[in-house]
Amino acid sequence: MIPIYDYFKPDVIFVYNVEDSIETAMDEWDLMTTIGVNWAGKVVRGAYMDRELQLAQLFNLNSPVCSTYEQTNLLYNQTISYILEKLTMRSNCHLTVATHNERSIRLAIHLMKEFGIEPARGVSFAQVYGMADYLTSPLVKKGYTVYKSTPYGPLESVLPYLSRRAAENRSVIQGARHERYMLKREIYSRIVSLTTKIVRI
């Protein structure tokens, strides 16, 4: 299927969970290069953490989930760093950086500039609609492509999904605090600006 659909542009997309993402990305990039087709992938942070732990226990397998949050961050950043460097060697390949983590987003942008990757070429960002909007808006203004997934359906189905996203990514909670601080600062600056205009009048 991959050689048929990925010859001119990537249509088959690999999704990388972070426990074995760097090794998997290396193997699959080498495979794509060998058979001469384009690569596309999305790097995520433990999308179904609870389910994966339960399956590992049920079938007596090693846990696919990182043991610590810090290890998750390290492997995630190593994986996107590896792929971004590889993108400089091949055209028509694509990486989706799926994260609400500000440090990972800043790292991706820094490496894109370092490797000479244009904002609209070969890289996009993905987040859940309503989460980390304070990161989304600046990315869009600077020309980066951002996809926002929108959960929909019965309330009893949507709430567990959103709670998992928050539980699996602590930066969502930290980001909410940071966003609240930034909103307060923006409101304050507008009030001060308006007051200054009134005084001048």
Side-chain angles (χ1 to χ4, degrees), residues 4-175:
I4 295 173
Y5 291 101
D6 277 25
Y7 187 78
F8 294 107
K9 65 184 182 67
D11 290 319
V12 180
I13 300 176
F14 298 101
V15 178
Y16 297 95
N17 201 336
V18 293
E19 174 63 19
D20 60 352
S21 57
I22 185 67
E23 292 84 1
T24 304
M26 288 178 176
D27 292 342
E28 290 176 350
W29 187 277
D30 290 343
L31 174 63
M32 298 298 98
T33 303
T34 301
I35 63 179
V37 298
N38 296 309
W39 178 95
K42 178 171 74 170
V43 184
V44 300
R45 275 182 167 83
Y48 298 97
M49 181 174 66
D50 294 337
R51 186 185 305 175
E52 289 167 346
L53 285 171
Q54 291 171 2
L55 287 173
Q57 292 171 355
L58 180 64
F59 294 103
N60 197 27
L61 301 171
N62 292 330
S63 171
V65 179
C66 295
S67 56
T68 66
Y69 181 67
E70 291 70 25
Q71 184 187 12
T72 299
N73 290 335
L74 178 63
L75 288 174
Y76 188 96
N77 292 338
Q78 286 178 343
T79 303
I80 62 172
S81 299
Y82 170 80
I83 297 170
L84 284 169
E85 185 174 7
K86 289 294 184 180
L87 288 181
T88 63
M89 304 175 187
R90 290 178 65 93
S91 58
N92 295 326
C93 294
H94 190 90
L95 167 66
T96 299
V97 181
T99 183
H100 303 98
N101 187 286
E102 185 174 350
R103 290 184 178 180
S104 294
I105 291 172
R106 288 184 180 276
L107 173 64
I109 293 171
H110 169 75
L111 290 175
M112 287 176 70
K113 292 178 179 177
E114 183 177 312
F115 297 143
I117 301 173
E118 296 295 326
R121 186 184 71 82
V123 180
S124 60
F125 295 86
Q127 297 154 359
V128 176
Y129 181 73
M131 292 186 178
D133 289 340
Y134 76 100
L135 297 173
T136 307
S137 298
L139 286 171
V140 173
K141 287 179 181 178
K142 292 182 179 180
Y144 295 94
T145 300
V146 182
Y147 293 97
K148 300 289 277 190
S149 64
T150 308
Y152 68 94
L155 188 62
E156 60 271 17
S157 299
V158 175
L159 280 179
Y161 170 86
L162 293 174
S163 65
R164 284 200 305 272
R165 299 289 79 73
E168 290 155 6
N169 197 333
R170 296 180 192 175
S171 61
V172 172
I173 307 300
Q174 296 167 353

